Amino acid sequence: MEIGDTGSTPKGAATRSEILRVAANVFARKGFEQTRMDDIIREVGLTKGAIYFHFSSKALLAQAVVDEQKARWLRRVQEEILSKNNPPEELRNLGEFMVRTVLSDSSAWGVVHLANQLASVKGHPGGTSPLAAWVDLVAGILQRGRASGVLTFSGDPSDAATVIVAAFDGLKSVTDALDPRDLDAFERRATLLLQILERQFISS
Amino acid sequence: MEIGDTGSTPKGAATRSEILRVAANVFARKGFEQTRMDDIIREVGLTKGAIYFHFSSKALLAQAVVDEQKARWLRRVQEEILSKNNPPEELRNLGEFMVRTVLSDSSAWGVVHLANQLASVKGHPGGTSPLAAWVDLVAGILQRGRASGVLTFSGDPSDAATVIVAAFDGLKSVTDALDPRDLDAFERRATLLLQILERQFISS
């Protein structure tokens, strides 16, 4: 049994998944440091005992939030995007997928930062950062695209992929800082960013 | 007298400036929440009383760090870059200036995030975010450049400027998260980002 995995009955699985959903929101809103287990307990509306039965510490709960969301979007990207085997199309769709992720669920992109905050918790084993998973995904598309002549860029695919993922991540953080909750501003700027990337990376 | 400004004698000014230098490093390393006044007091090597004489709280000290660095780079950008009155040159030089800032002083770009952290401190008045100052600066260059036909982009100059500043800010955060202290990786990726921006914004 994995740590924190007590979803062995349908009821247990439903409870676990509800805790993860609420916890993702609280962590996204308050950050890892500022969140107390009590905040999550209050919002979930279960007893302290019930939550600790599923997750024995705040760090393990946060890690489960990260792992669950990462597994979910990696599966979706695999099924909906990489299966096309058409690098320019994949790059476009991945960009749109990232924008939709942010617009449809305010806590979704937050797991990227939750994972970074967790990485500095002493004694916590952690896992691969979702940021690193995004970078690998984009680097894979760039590499295949350059090999078949449909994508153009110079240098290391992993560096170019980091620039792309970082531009997107920065746009989310900076818009949150300067224009909190202004989803229209995020969407306008993200559209501009995707146009820039399209013109830069996709051979015409 | 401004809050925290006790630099009315040369010795007072030197002490104040040394406290700000050390505090900028500690805040950059540990973040605002995790930093305690005691950490700064220990690193500065002065008594508690001497530090509190200059700055009566952690939030006021952090604000002084932000204000001082912001005033310093705004002055330099004004003198060294905007005075050229040549938008493509200014945009190139500003990009190089941002990269040099990160490479030469690890705490320098950190004030941007320190300002964001301060913005969520209850009861703290704050000031204009350095991120907003960067965006305004870039937006001004873009606007002048488009008016004289030497820069090209579509949409609002302020949105385009936010995309540029955010791409840079994201690159710093993501490189810090994935490859901590790897300045070479940062420089390689930043060079790639500047090339992309150059091709996108500067009319050939």
Side-chain angles (χ1 to χ4, degrees), chain B residues 64-77:
Chain B
V65 166
V66 171
D67 292 344
E68 198 260 350
Q69 291 215 18
K70 193 176 119 187
R72 185 146 36 106
W73 67 252
L74 273 176
R75 196 168 50 237
R76 286 192 49 197
V77 166

Side-chain angles (χ1 to χ4, degrees), chain A residues 33-34 116 129 131-132 135 154 159-160 162-163 166-167 169-171 174 177-178 188-189 192 196 199-201, chain B residues 33-34 116 129 132 135 154 159-160 162-163 166-167 169-171 174 177-178 188-189 192-193 196 199-201:
Chain A
E33 283 299 336
Q34 294 284 301
N116 294 349
S129 154
L131 271 178
V135 169
S154 59
D159 279 335
T162 306
V163 170
D169 181 54
L171 190 57
V174 170
L178 297 183
R188 269 195 330 268
R189 295 163 187 168
L192 193 58
I196 292 175
R199 284 196 291 261
Q200 277 304 311
F201 287 91
Chain B
E33 283 299 334
Q34 295 284 302
N116 294 349
S129 155
V135 169
S154 59
D159 279 334
T162 307
V163 169
D169 180 55
L171 191 58
V174 169
L178 297 182
R188 266 195 334 268
R189 294 164 189 168
L192 192 58
L193 175 62
I196 291 175
R199 283 195 295 261
Q200 276 303 310
F201 287 91

Side-chain angles (χ1 to χ4, degrees), chain B residues 81-82 84-94 140-151 202:
Chain B
I81 298 174
L82 302 185
K84 303 194 178 206
N85 208 9
N86 174 340
E89 223 21 47
E90 291 168 54
L91 200 59
R92 258 181 222 118
N93 291 348
L94 195 63
I141 299 176
L142 291 179
Q143 201 151 24
R144 276 187 287 121
R146 184 160 66 180
S148 59
V150 290
L151 296 180
I202 302 181

Side-chain angles (χ1 to χ4, degrees), chain B:
Chain B
M1 187 174 91
E2 276 182 79
I3 296 165
D5 179 8
T6 46
S8 49
T9 63
K11 181 154 181 287
T15 305
R16 185 175 188 277
S17 132
E18 173 64 6
I19 298 171
L20 288 177
R21 195 189 60 77
V22 172
N25 274 311
V26 179
F27 283 128
R29 214 167 57 230
K30 305 179 72 123
F32 179 73
E33 283 299 334
Q34 295 284 302
T35 297
R36 292 166 318 140
M37 280 296 254
D38 282 347
D39 300 326
I40 296 167
I41 289 164
R42 203 173 36 243
E43 293 203 23
V44 175
L46 290 172
T47 64
K48 202 167 196 145
I51 307 257
Y52 278 100
F53 173 75
H54 286 272
F55 303 99
S56 58
S57 75
K58 185 174 80 164
L60 289 173
L61 172 52
Q63 188 65 50
V65 166
V66 171
D67 292 344
E68 198 260 350
Q69 291 215 18
K70 193 176 119 187
R72 185 146 36 106
W73 67 252
L74 273 176
R75 196 168 50 237
R76 286 192 49 197
V77 166
Q78 191 66 49
E79 285 169 9
E80 296 174 26
I81 298 174
L82 302 185
S83 61
K84 303 194 178 206
N85 208 9
N86 174 340
E89 223 21 47
E90 291 168 54
L91 200 59
R92 258 181 222 118
N93 291 348
L94 195 63
E96 286 154 10
F97 177 83
M98 288 161 94
V99 176
R100 274 205 317 276
T101 302
V102 169
L103 292 176
S104 65
D105 172 0
S106 63
S107 73
W109 193 258
V111 300
V112 159
H113 296 277
L114 185 54
N116 294 349
Q117 289 161 353
L118 266 175
S120 62
V121 173
K122 275 203 194 97
H124 181 73
T128 318
S129 155
L131 270 178
W134 279 109
V135 169
D136 287 349
L137 214 60
V138 174
I141 299 176
L142 291 179
Q143 201 151 24
R144 276 187 287 121
R146 184 160 66 180
S148 59
V150 290
L151 296 180
T152 345
F153 60 97
S154 59
D156 178 48
S158 180
D159 279 334
T162 307
V163 169
I164 293 176
V165 173
F168 185 82
D169 180 55
L171 191 58
K172 170 80 173 94
S173 318
V174 169
T175 301
D176 282 350
L178 297 182
D179 310 288
R181 285 173 299 281
D182 188 345
L183 291 178
D184 285 346
F186 177 78
E187 191 171 12
R188 266 195 334 268
R189 294 164 189 168
T191 304
L192 192 58
L193 175 62
L194 295 185
Q195 284 166 359
I196 291 175
L197 296 177
E198 160 119 28
R199 283 195 295 261
Q200 276 303 310
F201 287 91
I202 302 181
S203 322
S204 49

